[in-house]
Amino acid sequence: MNKLITLTAIGALCAGMMMSTRADADQAPKKLPKAGASKLPKAGASKLPQNFPRPTPKLPQQKRSPLFDKDLNDGPQTLRGFVDLHTHPMSHLGFGGKLMHGAPDVGVLMPAGSIYNPAGVGVSGSTCNARDKRATSVEVALGSCYSSHAGHDLIKNKCGNHVRRVVIDEFENGKHTNKPHDVDHPPGFPSFTKWPKHDDIIHQQMWVDWIQRAHEGGLRVMVALTVNSMTLAKGLDGNQPYDDKTTGDKQLAEMKRMVSRHPWMEIAYSSADLRRIVGQDKLAIILGSEVDDIGNFAWSKREPTAGQVRAEIRRLHQLGVRYMFPVHVIDNHFGGTAMYEAEFPRASKYHFGHWPQIVCATASDGITNRFTHEWDAVITLVLGDAGHSFPVPTCPTGRGFKNARGLTPLGRVALDEMMALGMFIDIDHASQRTADDIIAYTGGKPGRYPVVSGHNGLRSDDRSNKHIHENTRTGAQYRAIAQRDGVAGVGFGDSTAPKFVANVRRVLAESPSIAINLGSDINGFVIMPKSDDCGVDGCVQYSESFPMARMGGVTWDYNRDGVAHIGLFPDFLRHVENVGGDDVVDKLFDGAEAVARTWERAESVGRAVEAAAPTSFRTIVALVSVRDDDVRDGARAWVRVTHRRGATGWIEVTQAAKGNNSSAKVSIPVGSTIRASDVLAVEVRHESNNCFACARDYWSGAVALEGEHGQPIMTTPAFRIGHQTKRFPRS
């Protein structure tokens, strides 16, 4: 069992899921500017076009630390406050509900099997919740992880799972965490003896009171992202359904529910909302999506139509999503994923159905990381042919792997819709080619649409480092982001305050005007910063104006505990100040204004993108679906479209229409340029060459039409036809 979905098999998928937040802390440059050597440029230093709104600057204030300043803002003019561009408050609802343990608030949904019930110990009775249940108290929300993370026990833990226990053990071993499960699964609250800790990555670190302390310390904008991996959920034998669409929707609903309970925070659905919320010194929450498979399109193993892609992004926007990752840790219909974890190719094969096209990086890429993977019998039993060996190239010395896949035509459709809706577009996790393609495509729009790198760092120039991977940013990418008022989040996972300052300075050396923010990836299986260099005197001095983090009878001292949870972010920033990074902190507090300006630009350019969207087409795409029985052997089916200038030819869809509960798309040439309003009707025809089957042969389904650019045209009602032609007018 030592290989059973271990870190090197499936656990690594999760362990590396957000590794970009480490920001290559171990890739320190040979020379760095001296701490505090010069003041950094303010966020948003680049000029905005004349038609963009220009906030009225506040009156100059005497220089002082902004941490725990209760009056950072006095209205929606130039905003102050630090930003975290990458958090996962509801990750306990992802991955089949069996990896991250603990809810962030009372009233939040907890997955089935996650609430341990000692009253059920014995021959009879249940030791956990049989279905999803809302946390009724902090004792429940932050209670024992015994049923979630431990092995099965017929008497004490009937909800445990030995396979999951092995996965979690190996996952923790690989991430070098503090191993909180070396005792009999103590609860977090009220003792907090084993979690949260800075190096514990699978227990809740975003309890609402801890978020509130971060807010009191200066956090004014937080991007709250949905997250999931179907591959890992299957490996963990998690709760079904665990597809990205269902899981993401659940996390969005719970995040909105949690925010509504607390008057000191509010969801921002527009840049105007953000200015109003932060101007009142409340915490603005931006809802986002970081999943592998938007709309479950990859899992369906069928390429979606442009209209389906646009409709799904609009659906997410209607749910409140304003921040999107076109690509996460698998290849999908939009583009390629970065090659930096050996198990991501397996996830692509399992979920998307193909291996990534891994090629050697060029010498100028500066990528040195490479990996190999052989066939594994146990993984094959769980993930099918995704457990097989996959091809990797033989590269020259000093050159690692990258993904050859770039932005696809459907990826451009997705970007067009995101831009039309004024959404943040994050390039992290995308292959270098896909990221560059996204930058080029969005930059080609009039006004140049802004993009974001929310949790990353500058690629090292130290070629002796064998771990420089594709999911790091180049200087050229950072400069492109800055030139159009985009923002960047610098990660600090498994790092220290001095290393974070060094990483920020490296980014700013490449792009002095870029707006810098935090990109913590907290609750995303990333070790938080440690403080083991603080010594006897301590890195942070506490006082009445800078109090320690407390909950119940427990006190967290950053000098001893590091960043044990999000409430210690202000303490980390005080450490940054104390190592000569007061100008770094000052720039971070310009983050709220920078994010507001990025959003304003996105909304302005997005309106132009929407207005410029093509309305005419020469090809119609028909999505043919089959509900129950279908076209049998010997039977045939066709589709034809009539329009104001005539009619298309009959297009045979016999093969597309075979298979219950299936769908396929076919292209119908029009012969001239038309608009959706020119379409009059769609006709469907069915006939059989097998007279014996005539009485019982039929086609049951529906047909949806859209233009080649995804313009919606019409959808027929459900029909059932046998040996006849039926016409459906466009209403």
Side-chain angles (χ1 to χ4, degrees), residues 615-620 640-649 669-681 683 727:
T615 58
S616 59
F617 45 85
R618 295 179 61 86
T619 300
I620 292 174
R640 180 173 72 171
V641 176
T642 58
H643 52 87
R644 297 186 192 281
R645 299 185 183 182
T648 69
V670 177
S672 59
T673 301
I674 64 173
R675 297 172 179 263
S677 57
D678 294 325
V679 174
L680 301 176
E683 296 174 277
R727 186 176 188 271

Side-chain angles (χ1 to χ4, degrees), residues 6 10 113 134 167 296 373 399 403 411 466 523 544 552 730:
T6 61
I10 291 183
R134 299 199 175 278
V167 176
N296 292 346
H373 241 293
R399 289 164 59 182
N403 192 344
K466 303 301 182 185
N523 267 23
E544 184 177 346
R730 179 177 176 271

Side-chain angles (χ1 to χ4, degrees), residues 270-328:
S270 67
S271 63
D273 280 352
L274 187 139
R275 284 202 178 276
R276 173 183 54 78
I277 296 164
V278 178
Q280 297 169 357
D281 269 325
K282 298 198 295 184
L283 175 60
I285 304 294
I286 301 174
L287 298 178
S289 171
E290 187 191 32
V291 297
D292 296 339
D293 188 9
I294 294 170
N296 292 346
F297 297 135
W299 183 243
S300 72
K301 305 299 188 291
R302 291 187 297 270
E303 185 175 277
T305 66
Q308 287 175 313
V309 170
R310 291 183 184 277
E312 176 60 17
I313 292 170
R314 286 195 300 271
R315 187 189 72 85
L316 288 169
H317 186 269
Q318 289 168 359
L319 291 179
V321 172
R322 298 295 184 269
Y323 192 112
M324 298 277 294
F325 285 77
V327 177
H328 193 211

Side-chain angles (χ1 to χ4, degrees), residues 197-215:
K197 304 287 185 183
H198 84 91
D199 54 353
D200 172 55
I201 57 176
I202 57 175
H203 296 89
Q204 184 62 244
Q205 293 179 296
M206 296 190 70
W207 177 252
V208 66
D209 292 355
W210 305 335
I211 297 174
Q212 186 172 21
R213 185 178 187 272
H215 168 246

Side-chain angles (χ1 to χ4, degrees), residues 161-174:
N161 185 297
H162 288 304
V163 172
R164 189 181 309 131
R165 174 68 263 150
V166 173
V167 176
I168 291 171
D169 270 343
E170 294 300 325
F171 177 65
E172 290 179 325
N173 286 336

